[in-house]
Amino acid sequence: MPKIVDHAARREELARAVWRLVGREGIEAATVRGVAAESGWSMGAVRHYFATHRDLLAFAGEVMAQRVADRVLALYAEADPHEGGASDRRFERGCTALEQLLPLDEERRVELVVWLAYMTRARTDHHLDRLRQDGWVGERFICRTAVADARGLPLPTSVEARLDAEGEALVDRLQIGLDGLSLLSATYPERWPATEVRAAARRLLMETRPDPMSECGG
């Protein structure tokens, strides 16, 4: 009986080899030859799944982005999108959503380092432009969802959904702050341990919560 090959698993195995190389040596190391050596495959086997180096890079980036999205989707799997009212539970959930984008463990550290390398490459490689654009939309959606949780608003049900003008301004501020935190913590990990990164993310989201005094007319 012929052996059944799980092609999806093989493609993901190659994606993981790309991540390891990029995280360890930079995106320039993730050539077809380099990925073949890292994965223990022949170059012909790699090319069987990916016709070009650019296809391989793009696929690896898409899988990584989907991993982050899947973690956030799992977090909100049981959520009622029409839920209203602020609560500590919702605030904590919003914090946890933001944490999926930050280097709080080795897995997420590698994801962030690799993602930053991809975004640098995307400036000059238009084949990665869709990944760059989708990454912005995805991050924006996560930030918008976290702000909705922090402010006790109904959750956005699609990436096209918007909060009101005040809410979107707060999403702007949160996304800018989160990107700065991501860059600093990836560049200076010795100065930004996970505990400090987590605390900083909480402060950023806390700043989007409504002022109780203003709600009381004070």
Side-chain angles (χ1 to χ4, degrees):
M1 183 174 180
K3 182 179 180 181
I4 298 175
V5 178
D6 188 337
H7 295 291
R10 286 197 165 190
R11 286 165 65 89
E12 183 160 338
E13 183 181 338
L14 290 174
R16 291 178 182 277
V18 172
W19 305 338
R20 292 194 299 272
L21 279 170
V22 175
R24 190 173 67 238
E25 302 176 37
I27 200 166
E28 296 78 11
T31 61
V32 172
R33 184 182 300 277
V35 171
E38 179 71 21
S39 63
W41 292 24
S42 68
M43 290 180 62
V46 175
R47 292 195 184 280
H48 173 76
Y49 288 98
F50 299 100
T52 68
H53 175 235
R54 283 172 167 166
D55 290 342
L56 174 58
L57 280 183
F59 175 77
E62 289 163 5
V63 172
M64 176 168 288
Q66 189 60 51
R67 276 159 50 107
V68 177
D70 287 346
R71 293 199 300 264
V72 175
L73 289 172
L75 182 63
Y76 285 91
E78 304 300 325
D80 177 1
H82 305 295
E83 178 182 7
S87 68
D88 289 342
R89 180 188 61 79
R90 291 194 66 183
F91 177 77
E92 293 299 331
R93 185 173 63 185
C95 287
T96 303
L98 296 180
E99 289 172 0
Q100 305 316 306
L101 299 168
L102 296 169
L104 297 176
D105 53 31
E106 183 61 16
E107 178 183 8
R108 283 175 283 185
R109 186 197 69 79
V110 171
E111 286 176 349
L112 179 55
V113 169
V114 173
W115 186 258
L116 291 174
Y118 265 76
M119 293 303 97
T120 300
R121 175 71 170 255
R123 290 179 55 251
T124 56
D125 186 345
H126 71 274
H127 288 84
L128 296 177
D129 193 60
R130 190 184 75 175
L131 184 65
R132 181 181 69 89
Q133 296 285 359
D134 289 349
W136 191 90
V137 171
E139 181 191 9
R140 184 79 179 182
F141 180 72
I142 293 171
C143 288
R144 184 176 290 121
T145 301
V147 169
D149 259 345
R151 296 184 67 80
L153 302 173
L155 296 170
T157 55
S158 72
V159 295
E160 292 82 17
R162 297 291 183 270
L163 305 181
D164 60 18
E166 180 184 10
E168 286 298 307
L170 291 170
V171 175
D172 283 339
R173 186 190 304 175
L174 176 61
Q175 188 172 12
I176 291 168
L178 197 69
D179 280 351
L181 179 60
S182 297
L183 182 59
L184 284 173
S185 56
T187 307
Y188 304 103
E190 72 280 3
R191 296 180 180 272
W192 284 94
T195 52
E196 294 297 326
V197 174
R198 180 175 281 110
R202 290 179 66 85
R203 288 193 296 270
L204 287 170
L205 189 57
M206 184 68 73
E207 291 172 359
T208 72
R209 299 186 86 173
D211 182 353
M213 293 301 294
S214 65
E215 289 190 335
C216 294

